[in-house]
Amino acid sequence: QVHLVESGGGSVQAGGSLRLSCAASGSTYSRNCMAWFRQAPGKEREGVAAIYTGGSVPVYSDSVKGRFTISQDNAKNTLYLQMNSLKPEDTAMYYCAAKGKGGSWCPLDERFFPYWGQGTQVTVSS
């Protein structure tokens, strides 16, 4: 079993930055792929960024590429999402997710992630 707790959300103006954190506990074998997803009101949940904890090039959605950076601190069992140059369209609930099966395969697709945090709200005003 895996337990995920997000933090770091808040309200910022457009152009600002936030760093989200996701504290993970439980089996490391069940969270060798970690990702961030987001869901805006009235919209479907979408993938933001994913990283294989064993070491690989992260994957980003086109909408955040160049502005967001996913990273991990294995010693602290924590996943991060550094968000720069925020836009009003980045406003959403952000979720941390984990999967273990599939080895290094780490897709940005919510269907393959069995473990989820409760979410943290990010609001960007213009």
Side-chain angles (χ1 to χ4, degrees):
Q1 191 66 290
V2 175
H3 187 54
L4 304 171
V5 179
E6 303 95 333
S7 61
S11 297
V12 296
Q13 291 190 329
S17 297
L18 281 174
R19 189 178 78 158
L20 305 183
S21 299
C22 173
S25 60
S27 170
T28 56
Y29 296 103
S30 296
R31 47 184 171 92
N32 61 7
C33 170
M34 302 284 293
W36 289 98
F37 292 82
R38 67 185 182 185
Q39 187 168 22
K43 294 187 177 181
E44 294 185 353
R45 188 157 52 187
E46 64 169 336
V48 174
I51 187 168
Y52 170 58
T53 59
S56 68
V57 177
V59 177
Y60 296 95
S61 69
D62 288 342
S63 60
V64 307
K65 199 172 296 182
R67 299 187 298 121
F68 291 10
T69 301
I70 188 171
S71 63
Q72 57 185 340
D73 185 332
N74 290 335
K76 296 182 179 180
N77 291 318
T78 302
L79 180 75
Y80 302 101
L81 184 69
Q82 178 67 44
M83 305 185 295
N84 299 328
S85 302
L86 282 162
K87 304 175 181 180
E89 51 264 44
D90 294 319
T91 295
M93 185 71 79
Y94 283 71
Y95 298 91
C96 174
K99 66 175 284 290
K101 294 181 180 180
S104 61
W105 183 59
C106 196
L108 201 52
D109 186 332
E110 63 173 311
R111 295 174 298 172
F112 300 101
F113 287 83
Y115 305 109
W116 293 82
Q118 83 289 348
T120 185
Q121 178 68 36
V122 172
T123 302
V124 184
S125 59
S126 57

